[in-house]
Amino acid sequence: KPRQRPELGGACACPHAGWPAAMLTKESRALFYALQHKKSAKDVNTLITAETAKTPDPVYSMKPLFWALSYGASAEVLRLLLETYPEAANEKHPFEGWTPLHYAERLDAAAVKLLIDKCPGAANEKDAKGALPLHWAAEHHAKAEVVELLLEANKDAAFAEDDLGRIPVRLATDTEAPADVLGLLSQANPGGAATLPAPPPLEPLPIGIMFPGVGSEKMQMLKSAQDLPAVQDMLKQAKDILGFDVMQVCTEGPEAKLRDMVNSQPLIFIAGLAGLEKLRARNPEAVRRPHAVCGLSAGEYTALCAAGVFSFADGLALVKARAEAMKEAANRTPQGMLSVAGLEFARLQGLCAQVKLKRPGDDEVCQIANYMFQKGFTVTGTKAAVEECQKLAEGAKALQARLIKGAGGFHSPLMEPARQTLEAKLTEMLPRMKRPRCKVFMNTTAKAVDYETDPKRIVEILCEQMVSPVKWKDCMEAMVEEGIREFYECGPSGQLKAMMKRIDQGAFAKTMAIEV
């Protein structure tokens, strides 16, 4: 249970009504009243004198600076009090041992900057229960920019334990702090974050959240979400991990850079989570208590991140490594992908088998890579084999048989070198992975992993996905069968919603695209 500060409320705390005249001068009484009611710096300035600034109240024995902090005063008010009575910077709460900086969760960034400057060393001071200012900020959901300032003032604070052995990221996790705050604290102490057990799942709502994969990215995406605090933190972390400005690529291009596989996979990962933050702003409980999540191909990593399996930073680094490994594998031999619509599964599978008969050889690959919707597939393999399949599909009167520009032999044995690279990266990350907080329907199996699933099994399935078909249609049907009645697609373009129309009309009617 989070520690709480005693509120300065009730009749006994009213400087006018609750304090006998003999207990305090009229001037001090007026100052406390102004601070309690968050008067402006202009109003407070006339009440601050050398005497009133250092006189404690008769009930809590707290001086004006601590009253101002308790009520979340502005930086201007705090500056006036500290300039008049500088000694207050080194004083502590008379009973709890709090420094002025221990009130950071009630203040804005400008006020915290002022306190860090005027109260040197306060970021390193513990209160009577062994808590640093960062502990209080983490536990009571300070603004992300405030947490960032406290980390800059004392980097070791992220590793410090209070008297109950709790580190800041544990306090933030236990109290369900916002994602941007959790991200900062996890980034500051990745080892500490990794040791935390996954929280048990909450009672779910009949809600499913979907995340798109590569192909949904588009110019100008992320603009509608870039001002959300959690997204701003993601973009900042992404610049360090990816080495480029995400918004610049999304808004200025060139489009070829946006669609380059090495960039498009990380960008669609970020876009999916940005869409999740937009959904959180509209419907917090949908994000907090979904029944299940699912992501298409690269979107599966977004879904796992949304389910708490790995952090944003770890997930983005993993997707970056995956994309680089896939591009390298795709460049080893001529490869391609084909989008096919209008043929039954058995018919298309037969065409792939015909290609193999026409082009015998261990190196030739032609197989279905994605089961997207009824009579909607992609075929993957070596370039010549895929081109041959295109001719056969056209001859079989397919409604569409279109080569996908720039694609490789994804979700096939041609990606085995990439699978090995991914496996090494996942094995390194495994100690930091957690059990999902909700069900995650996996592409390769069309079955869910959940809180009972060992993360080792998730690693195995992700590696299988690299060289195996994606069963998207089966995943969606399984989610409907689970009783999910409301679907949200988080990310650009709305392609998953469009596919839902061809999978289940009832589910399509209850699907909303949260575009970014």
Side-chain angles (χ1 to χ4, degrees):
K1 183 178 179 180
R3 290 174 62 194
Q4 300 296 335
R5 300 185 197 276
E7 293 297 329
L8 307 184
C12 68
C14 179
H16 283 331
W19 297 349
M23 297 178 72
L24 208 63
T25 66
K26 180 176 66 175
E27 292 78 14
S28 284
R29 190 187 305 273
L31 176 57
F32 283 118
Y33 183 85
L35 296 174
Q36 185 182 39
H37 291 82
K38 296 188 71 171
K39 298 293 185 180
S40 69
K42 181 180 179 182
D43 292 334
V44 171
N45 188 34
T46 60
L47 304 173
I48 298 174
T49 67
E51 189 62 31
T52 61
K54 67 180 182 180
T55 301
D57 74 78
V59 176
Y60 300 101
S61 301
M62 289 170 55
K63 294 181 181 178
L65 177 65
F66 283 87
W67 270 70
L69 295 165
S70 296
Y71 287 102
S74 67
E76 291 77 10
V77 169
L78 298 180
R79 181 177 288 106
L80 291 170
L81 289 166
L82 285 166
E83 287 176 349
T84 306
Y85 180 54
E87 292 87 347
N90 299 313
E91 294 181 347
K92 295 185 177 182
H93 186 280
F95 309 115
E96 301 289 346
W98 299 320
T99 69
L101 204 54
H102 276 87
Y103 288 81
E105 88 279 358
R106 300 193 172 193
L107 307 173
D108 61 19
V112 173
K113 282 181 183 177
L114 173 72
L115 291 178
I116 290 172
D117 180 53
K118 298 288 186 179
C119 310
N124 306 300
E125 291 280 344
K126 291 189 172 184
D127 67 10
K129 299 291 179 65
L132 292 166
L134 185 64
H135 287 95
W136 272 93
E139 188 173 23
H140 295 85
H141 303 179
K143 296 175 182 176
E145 53 266 33
V146 167
V147 171
E148 195 167 13
L149 287 169
L150 293 174
L151 285 167
E152 290 173 0
N154 180 6
K155 291 182 172 60
D156 293 335
F159 302 87
E161 296 181 354
D162 65 9
D163 287 353
L164 294 177
R166 302 172 302 179
I167 57 177
V169 70
R170 175 60 184 266
L171 292 167
T173 301
D174 288 349
T175 57
E176 298 183 8
D180 50 355
V181 171
L182 276 170
L184 286 169
L185 295 170
S186 298
Q187 189 177 18
N189 183 359
T195 62
L196 299 180
L202 300 167
E203 185 66 29
L205 298 171
I207 286 173
I209 303 176
M210 308 177 295
F211 299 95
V214 170
S216 289
E217 70 278 359
K218 62 180 182 178
M219 291 298 298
Q220 307 305 319
M221 71 178 186
L222 286 172
K223 284 184 73 173
S224 65
Q226 65 178 324
D227 293 329
L228 294 171
V231 177
Q232 289 180 341
D233 180 60
M234 284 187 235
L235 294 172
K236 184 176 180 180
Q237 291 186 62
K239 188 171 185 179
D240 294 335
I241 295 168
L242 302 178
F244 62 83
D245 187 310
V246 168
M247 288 309 304
Q248 185 174 21
V249 173
C250 290
T251 56
E252 300 177 19
E255 188 170 355
K257 184 173 182 178
L258 176 79
R259 297 196 179 278
D260 187 314
M261 183 199 315
V262 172
N263 299 325
S264 61
Q265 288 195 34
L267 291 175
I268 205 68
F269 175 82
I270 298 167
L273 292 174
L276 190 69
E277 291 305 318
K278 278 189 73 173
L279 176 59
R280 191 192 307 276
R282 297 181 187 182
N283 187 347
E285 286 300 292
V287 176
R288 188 167 175 263
R289 296 194 289 144
H291 184 93
V293 295
C294 188
L296 176 62
S297 191
E300 186 158 82
Y301 294 78
T302 322
L304 288 166
C305 186
V309 174
F310 36 66
S311 68
F312 170 79
D314 273 349
L316 184 60
L318 181 61
V319 171
K320 178 176 182 287
R322 176 184 188 265
E324 291 169 349
M326 290 175 69
K327 185 168 185 176
E328 183 177 345
N331 288 335
R332 291 192 172 203
T333 56
Q335 300 170 17
M337 289 190 89
L338 176 70
S339 175
V340 180
L343 297 180
E344 295 287 352
F345 168 73
R347 182 75 172 107
L348 183 58
Q349 196 171 40
L351 297 182
C352 291
Q354 285 184 46
V355 171
K356 287 287 290 178
L357 288 173
K358 285 186 176 183
R359 306 184 65 84
D362 295 337
D363 295 336
E364 291 293 342
V365 175
C366 184
Q367 67 180 57
I368 296 175
N370 293 288
Y371 305 66
M372 309 303 288
F373 49 85
Q374 186 65 29
K375 297 185 181 181
F377 309 91
T378 60
V379 173
T380 187
T382 45
K383 185 173 184 291
V386 169
E387 290 173 347
E388 181 69 26
C389 187
Q390 181 186 28
K391 295 175 184 176
L392 293 177
E394 289 171 344
K397 307 300 182 185
L399 296 177
Q400 174 181 286
R402 176 179 56 83
L403 291 171
I404 300 173
K405 185 178 179 181
F410 308 136
H411 303 295
S412 82
L414 293 170
M415 290 293 111
E416 176 58 26
R419 187 202 67 76
Q420 294 175 16
T421 300
L422 179 68
E423 184 176 31
K425 183 71 174 176
L426 282 164
T427 301
E428 180 269 326
M429 191 183 294
L430 181 59
R432 302 194 297 277
M433 293 173 64
K434 295 180 171 58
R435 295 170 185 264
R437 65 181 181 87
C438 65
K439 290 188 175 185
V440 184
F441 280 84
M442 305 298 284
N443 289 184
T444 301
T445 64
K447 295 179 181 178
V449 296
D450 57 21
Y451 190 68
E452 302 300 321
T453 306
D454 191 313
K456 289 181 181 178
R457 177 57 184 149
I458 297 174
V459 168
E460 292 171 359
I461 298 172
L462 287 174
C463 290
E464 290 170 14
Q465 191 232 58
M466 187 70 85
V467 293
S468 304
V470 168
K471 301 175 182 177
W472 183 256
K473 173 178 171 288
D474 295 346
C475 285
M476 294 300 100
E477 290 174 342
M479 290 175 78
V480 172
E481 185 68 23
E482 281 272 330
I484 293 173
R485 298 291 176 263
E486 205 173 313
F487 288 85
Y488 294 92
E489 177 186 357
C490 293
S493 300
Q495 290 184 4
L496 300 183
K497 180 180 178 180
M499 286 195 286
M500 186 67 88
K501 188 174 185 179
R502 302 186 183 188
I503 297 171
D504 188 296
Q505 285 284 340
F508 168 72
K510 295 294 181 68
T511 299
M512 179 180 293
I514 310 297
E515 292 206 37
V516 295

